[in-house]
Amino acid sequence: MAVVAVNYNYFLVSVMVLLPALCVSQDTFTCSRATYYGSPDCLGTASGACGYREYGRTVNNGYVTGVSKLYRNGTGCGACYQVRCKVPNLCTDNGVNVVVTDYGEGDHTDFILSASAYTRMAQPNLALELVAYGTVDVEYRRISCQYPNTNLMFKVHEDSRFPEYIALVPLYQAGQTEITVVELWQEDCQEWRGMRRAYGAVWDKSNPPSGPLSLRFQASSTNGEWVQFKDVIPSDWKAGVAYDSAFQLS
């Protein structure tokens, strides 16, 4: 099996941030419906089903969404979509680009948008009129996530307990790709051992190896190749901290 190895010096960053398939149009948009959820600041929620916490509230300027069938048992977390509403004279041509950070079901909807994302679909000065609809017809398409000058990062989830339990969450996952398998290197056994997709974008393992952690993953865009990171997580890893991979998907 081919391996893509990544060599780098790691550094850490505290994360503060930082359907119905009814029809398909000729320009690859799929018809659906969307609604929105309320929050005091019109951003996302830190308790989303993807496990992103604060990142899920503020990434992409808070233009985020919960999805139903597109969630795909958590595989759809982090995916980006262009969503545009179809109310005559109220909606822009471009709509809004959103990141999936949560699971949610509505009235035959595929998208439950943050309030800021929902109103972003409206023509200037017509946001309140669009909000009054509550649920609207939309069309959407998958697009590449873009995080300029930002690498893929692996955050140690807040529920991790050093040293007996670790959970990792990929952040700033660019392109149109899903991470499908994650493994940690077990030095004493000289073998790779799989992590479990606990839920959403969260991968976990009890009794992880001691010392710096090397990991590798396969993604839908790597054609079966492994992307490998040596010592990407330091030996004194801490919950709530994200570690830079010096690598980005495309």
Side-chain angles (χ1 to χ4, degrees):
M1 186 72 70
V3 174
V4 179
V6 179
N7 296 316
Y8 60 93
N9 294 320
Y10 68 77
F11 61 91
L12 57 88
V13 179
S14 296
V15 176
M16 299 173 60
V17 150
L18 242 251
L19 69 200
L22 302 178
C23 66
V24 178
S25 64
Q26 293 181 350
D27 56 358
T28 72
F29 282 86
T30 299
C31 296
S32 185
R33 285 160 61 81
T35 186
Y36 66 94
Y37 59 89
S39 63
D41 53 13
C42 297
L43 301 179
T45 173
S47 59
C50 290
Y52 288 136
R53 296 288 181 94
E54 182 66 13
Y55 170 90
R57 195 179 73 83
T58 58
V59 67
N60 194 38
N61 296 315
Y63 298 143
V64 297
T65 186
V67 293
S68 51
K69 282 186 288 189
L70 296 173
Y71 182 76
R72 292 181 289 117
N73 294 319
T75 305
C77 289
C80 294
Y81 293 91
Q82 181 185 4
V83 184
R84 56 191 192 188
C85 59
K86 302 300 293 179
V87 181
N89 303 318
L90 279 184
C91 303
T92 64
D93 292 336
N94 292 327
V96 62
N97 296 340
V98 294
V99 181
V100 174
T101 60
D102 200 359
Y103 174 87
E105 296 183 14
D107 180 16
H108 301 290
T109 62
D110 281 308
F111 295 90
I112 302 182
L113 302 165
S114 65
S116 60
Y118 187 88
T119 56
R120 180 78 172 180
M121 297 188 296
Q123 295 278 6
N125 303 316
L126 295 179
L128 291 179
E129 284 83 349
L130 187 62
V131 166
Y133 275 79
T135 301
V136 293
D137 291 329
V138 298
E139 58 183 13
Y140 72 91
R141 64 178 176 179
R142 179 81 180 267
I143 60 173
S144 292
C145 297
Q146 298 185 15
Y147 301 105
N149 304 314
T150 302
N151 295 321
L152 175 69
M153 304 184 77
F154 291 96
K155 177 187 173 184
V156 179
H157 194 271
E158 287 84 350
D159 290 342
S160 300
R161 302 182 302 278
F162 183 85
E164 67 266 19
Y165 171 77
I166 190 168
L168 298 176
V169 188
L171 305 181
Y172 303 109
Q173 183 175 319
Q176 294 189 41
T177 189
E178 293 89 30
I179 293 176
T180 55
V181 182
V182 181
E183 296 183 341
L184 293 178
W185 175 249
Q186 191 83 27
E187 181 67 26
D188 54 352
C189 301
Q190 291 291 293
E191 65 180 13
W192 291 98
R193 292 190 174 178
M195 300 188 77
R196 177 188 67 140
R197 185 188 291 275
Y199 66 94
V202 181
W203 298 83
D204 72 352
K205 186 169 184 57
S206 297
N207 301 312
S210 59
L213 300 180
S214 297
L215 68 80
R216 68 179 186 175
F217 68 79
Q218 288 181 333
S220 57
S221 63
T222 62
N223 297 318
E225 293 187 345
W226 291 96
V227 180
Q228 184 172 315
F229 305 93
K230 181 176 175 57
D231 299 344
V232 65
I233 310 295
S235 58
D236 59 345
W237 52 265
K238 295 176 174 60
V241 174
Y243 299 90
D244 194 299
S245 73
F247 171 84
Q248 186 54 277
L249 290 160
S250 60

